[in-house]
Amino acid sequence: MHRLLTFKRLSVLFLVAFACSFGLVLAYDQLVRAPGDRCEEQGKWWDREGRVCAQPIAIAEITGRPNGVSREEASRQKNRELVAIERQLAANERAVAADAERQRAALAAAEAAQ
């Protein structure tokens, strides 16, 4: 009687299945887990969904606000800067208007003198 699954064939099939499983585990480790571990060792953030290694950014770099300054303090400082800019623009506009008025008066005086 000829048997299909002898002990020798079963042992070879088991060893092949074991080797394939072991290879899959190693491939998973190298392709999925290792990049995340390498990224975190460098002090970066690993995004598993997008598979992206990202550099953390400090909030101060985004907002332009120095560390230790509250949002309210930074807002007040920005408002003071804006008020100073508005005052400077208003003074420039007044100076331009005064200069235009002076030129009009000089032109009118020149026309009246003719």
Side-chain angles (χ1 to χ4, degrees), residues 6-59:
T6 62
F7 186 73
K8 187 175 183 179
R9 286 183 182 166
L10 282 175
S11 63
V12 169
L13 284 174
F14 174 77
L15 288 175
V16 168
F18 180 77
C20 288
S21 299
F22 187 71
L24 287 174
V25 168
L26 287 179
Y28 175 81
D29 187 55
Q30 288 299 313
L31 298 174
V32 177
R33 289 183 51 208
D37 294 340
R38 285 191 299 266
C39 179
E40 289 173 359
E41 285 174 4
Q42 295 172 357
K44 298 180 180 180
W45 291 337
W46 176 250
D47 177 24
R48 292 190 191 278
E49 292 177 7
R51 297 186 52 79
V52 174
C53 186
Q55 175 69 34
I57 299 174
I59 271 298

Side-chain angles (χ1 to χ4, degrees), residues 49-96:
E49 292 177 7
R51 297 186 52 79
V52 174
C53 186
Q55 175 69 34
I57 299 174
I59 271 298
E61 293 177 30
I62 297 170
T63 62
R65 184 174 68 220
N67 290 333
V69 176
S70 71
R71 182 183 294 174
E72 184 179 356
E73 293 170 9
S75 180
R76 285 185 184 152
Q77 178 63 30
K78 285 288 184 188
N79 287 339
R80 282 192 292 270
E81 291 173 8
L82 288 175
V83 167
I85 291 171
E86 288 174 353
R87 287 181 182 157
Q88 183 180 6
L89 287 173
N92 287 344
E93 287 176 5
R94 285 193 302 271
V96 167

Side-chain angles (χ1 to χ4, degrees), residues 93-113:
E93 287 176 5
R94 285 193 302 271
V96 167
D99 187 45
E101 188 60 36
R102 183 188 56 78
Q103 289 177 5
R104 279 190 204 105
L107 185 60
E111 287 179 0

